[in-house]
Amino acid sequence: MCSSDLQVREATGLIAEAEGRAVLALLPRPRVKISNVRIRDRDGRLTIEAEQLRGELRVLPMFAGRLELVSASLLSPKIAVDLDANPFADQGAIARIMERAAGPAGGDATDRLGKLTFTEGTAHVHSATRAIDARIGITNLEIDWPRADAAAGVKGAVRLGEHLADIAAWIGRPADLLRGRKSDLSLRLASPRFAVSFNGAVTPGPALMAEGSLSASTPDLRTLAAGVDRTVPLPGPLENVTLAGALRLTPASIAVSDLRLAADGNAYEGALAFVLDRARPTLSGTLATDNLDTAPFAALAPPLVETDGEWSRVRLPVSDPARIDVDLRLSASRARIGRAQLREAAFSLLAEPERLSLTLEEAKAWNGVIKAQLAMGRGEAGAALRASANLARVDAAAMMGELFRTPRLSGELNGDVALTSNGETLARALRNLNGTARLSVRNGDVSGLDLEQALRRLEKRPLTVASEVRTGRTGFNAAELDLGVENGRATIRTLRARGAGVEFTVKGAIGVPERALELTLDRKSTRLNSSPIPLSRIPSSA
């Protein structure tokens, strides 16, 4: 393999070795076939081992006694390359191109290169400084760079994890890339699972930078990520995802500005950044949308109730498979959460090691303002949960009408709720529920409940009071509720209403796991005073 080895050295500066035999054929065109080939640099930072090398020879150099390859193909190659090294810097045409760094852009037309094809192989690309360790399957990959002063093309098919994708790339000035200069670049990857397109420029070296326009799409982002042994730490199915924007890539980060993103039927604008120079990479960004439907975000959440009517016994997710942090901010002109319609809503999603927090920073709803937060982390007994909410100047009638389709309560509603719990399942977490809830309503009434009239008639017609209490209205100047929750049992510390015609206090408790309600009404009236009335108990089957 002496002549071929010399040409490999002349073109690339690499060392070519062969353990198998070489076969030369002249017809129908000159070609050579060599078995068990190994190509490497002097330090072993780039190695290519192949079962066979097949090459097509130039005719004219053969008359001068030289075997000069026009093109070569490697069968079943195993490629290992360290991106922190420069295997072409010693000698050969590529080295000469790099040495002309101080000269004009482009290359020398006398430096002939050629076409190289890889068939059914693998490539291991790694970099300690850039935290890169990727394995790529090669089905059929062709690199065509005929001369140093010409553009280069790449086409073929590669396997990324479980996904087979067609690849096509065009490098405007590969000679300039070898000199550490900028070159135009276009790249396209396409498969049934995804499509990616980039058009822009790239500058190599330790301060690698790529800038240009990026577009990408996938029908199912979660399946795509699973195919390369990754997970996506975001809520929702993440289906029909499309992305377009201005890409800026460096060894430490990937940033997309002027972003247009669509997923699960929602459309967003903004910016995203993926920072790599940390033990745990971070995905951060700010997004905005005119209309947000949150229903897809809960699509993968476990059910609240089992088929037997009991609380869910599915294990709550507290693992951290993604191994990345997330810090996303989202604003929505209008947002739908279940039946609730919010305006000017601001959300945030934070994911850290074994901790997830989803916050409604603020939103306008029912003529007032609401805030809420749900956080989940790992605790000694499984999932550690924390939930809180704040309501300010909320129209109770509007809220009840929208959420429950029955505006039985009216007035200005204010309040705070703070709850904590832990447990492996929702059923266990509800038994460990602790916290407080304080609500107040001013200048309102309760429709379908004429408590004042019913209490006045209680002594005259006690048997009819149950039906009469369900009609009319009970007005009040102020009502307040103070709940204390301990181990799943909510004790009513205060439930009191005062009005012109009636004043009453309710005592009792709510069994959250059993869904049971036990109340006693202690009423006072300007015309009537009597003993407490026990109200019916609502069983768990209700």
Side-chain angles (χ1 to χ4, degrees):
M1 191 184 173
C2 180
S3 178
S4 298
D5 177 32
L6 289 176
Q7 186 187 355
V8 171
R9 283 178 180 260
E10 173 64 19
T12 66
L14 301 177
I15 302 169
E17 303 165 331
E19 297 179 357
R21 64 179 187 143
V23 177
L24 176 65
L26 298 177
L27 297 174
R29 58 185 183 274
R31 62 193 185 278
V32 65
K33 181 168 65 175
I34 306 170
S35 301
N36 299 327
V37 177
R38 188 171 191 264
I39 302 172
R40 61 179 176 84
D41 70 332
R42 186 175 56 187
D43 299 324
R45 308 296 288 272
L46 168 64
T47 61
I48 304 174
E49 297 179 354
E51 292 181 3
Q52 190 177 88
L53 181 149
R54 297 177 181 177
E56 183 177 342
L57 302 173
R58 289 189 173 94
V59 176
L60 292 180
M62 294 180 66
F63 292 103
R66 300 196 319 272
L67 298 181
E68 188 172 311
L69 295 172
V70 177
S71 64
S73 63
L74 295 172
L75 178 64
S76 301
K78 296 181 179 179
I79 305 169
V81 57
D82 184 350
L83 297 180
D84 296 329
N86 191 347
F88 304 109
D90 289 340
Q91 56 182 308
I94 294 179
R96 290 195 299 272
I97 294 171
M98 296 170 63
E99 289 172 358
R100 291 195 292 268
D108 189 336
T110 62
D111 290 324
R112 289 184 174 183
L113 298 169
K115 183 185 298 183
L116 181 60
T117 302
F118 301 94
T119 304
E120 298 300 332
T122 60
H124 180 201
V125 181
H126 58 95
S127 168
T129 60
R130 301 170 189 172
I132 297 174
D133 188 23
R135 298 182 185 273
I136 303 170
I138 300 173
T139 299
N140 184 37
L141 188 67
E142 178 184 285
I143 302 174
D144 187 5
W145 187 14
R147 302 183 316 276
D149 64 340
V154 179
K155 64 179 180 180
V158 296
R159 184 173 294 277
L160 306 174
E162 298 178 358
H163 307 301
L164 182 65
D166 294 329
I167 182 172
W170 175 84
I171 306 170
R173 297 181 299 280
D176 286 357
L177 286 182
L178 291 172
R179 298 170 183 171
R181 295 175 176 174
K182 182 185 293 187
S183 172
D184 295 334
L185 171 69
S186 65
L187 171 67
R188 293 190 300 276
L189 288 167
S191 83
R193 289 292 184 188
F194 68 94
V196 177
S197 177
F198 171 79
N199 287 283
V202 59
T203 303
L208 168 71
M209 179 177 293
E211 293 181 298
S213 60
L214 172 72
S215 63
S217 64
T218 175
D220 188 339
L221 182 56
R222 292 197 181 279
T223 300
L224 174 63
V228 291
D229 194 27
R230 293 291 183 270
T231 58
V232 184
L234 298 174
L238 299 177
E239 297 177 342
N240 300 319
V241 178
T242 62
L243 176 151
L247 173 70
R248 186 177 188 273
L249 182 147
T250 71
S253 66
I254 303 171
V256 183
S257 58
D258 297 327
L259 174 69
R260 298 178 301 282
L261 172 67
D264 298 328
N266 289 311
Y268 312 91
E269 294 181 349
L272 290 175
F274 190 56
V275 179
L276 305 171
D277 60 345
R278 300 178 183 177
R280 284 177 57 91
T282 300
L283 173 65
S284 62
T286 57
L287 300 173
T289 182
D290 290 332
N291 295 282
L292 177 66
D293 184 2
T294 64
F297 299 157
L300 302 181
L304 296 179
V305 181
E306 301 282 357
T307 55
D308 59 6
E310 298 297 324
W311 293 111
S312 174
R313 296 182 290 274
V314 176
R315 184 179 294 272
L316 294 171
V318 293
S319 60
D320 185 36
R323 301 185 296 275
I324 71 171
D325 294 339
V326 178
D327 183 358
L328 292 179
R329 312 289 166 154
L330 171 63
S331 61
S333 299
R334 291 174 294 277
R336 175 188 290 273
I337 303 179
R339 293 178 176 176
Q341 297 279 357
L342 311 181
R343 294 180 297 106
E344 299 179 27
F347 300 88
S348 67
L349 174 65
L350 297 176
E352 298 173 339
E354 299 183 347
R355 182 178 180 271
L356 177 68
S357 176
L358 178 61
T359 304
L360 173 60
E361 304 286 354
E362 186 173 288
K364 294 181 179 179
W366 312 300
N367 302 318
V369 176
I370 64 171
K371 302 176 182 179
Q373 183 183 60
L374 175 63
M376 177 184 295
R378 183 179 294 279
E380 295 182 358
L385 306 173
R386 186 177 73 251
S388 62
N390 173 267
L391 298 89
R393 303 180 302 279
V394 167
D395 184 337
M399 183 184 74
M400 297 290 289
E402 189 168 271
L403 297 183
F404 305 107
R405 301 291 191 260
T406 172
R408 290 185 174 272
L409 177 67
S410 69
E412 183 186 277
L413 174 63
N414 295 273
D416 292 282
V417 178
L419 300 171
T420 62
S421 187
N422 62 82
E424 295 183 349
T425 66
L426 179 62
R428 175 56 59 184
L430 290 177
R431 294 189 179 278
N432 296 331
L433 192 64
N434 295 280
T436 60
R438 295 182 177 88
L439 302 173
S440 65
V441 183
R442 296 189 303 173
N443 301 322
D445 60 45
V446 179
S447 63
L449 177 64
D450 190 346
L451 188 59
E452 179 184 356
Q453 188 67 18
L455 294 177
R456 290 179 177 179
R457 297 180 181 179
L458 178 62
E459 292 185 346
K460 297 181 180 179
R461 296 196 299 273
L463 297 180
T464 64
V465 69
S467 61
E468 292 176 345
V469 78
R470 297 189 181 95
T471 62
R473 290 177 176 271
T474 298
F476 54 84
N477 298 327
E480 55 185 302
L481 168 66
D482 184 355
L483 281 177
V485 186
E486 185 174 357
N487 295 328
R489 183 175 177 82
T491 302
I492 300 176
R493 296 188 292 212
T494 303
L495 175 51
R496 179 170 53 239
R498 298 182 298 276
V502 65
E503 178 180 351
F504 63 89
T505 300
V506 176
K507 298 179 180 179
I510 303 170
V512 179
E514 304 84 6
R515 284 171 283 175
L517 178 66
E518 295 178 348
L519 300 178
T520 299
L521 174 64
D522 187 4
R523 79 276 189 206
K524 298 179 180 180
S525 167
T526 55
R527 299 183 181 180
L528 180 64
N529 290 290
S530 62
S531 60
I533 302 175
L535 302 183
S536 61
R537 182 179 186 273
I538 302 177
S540 60
S541 60

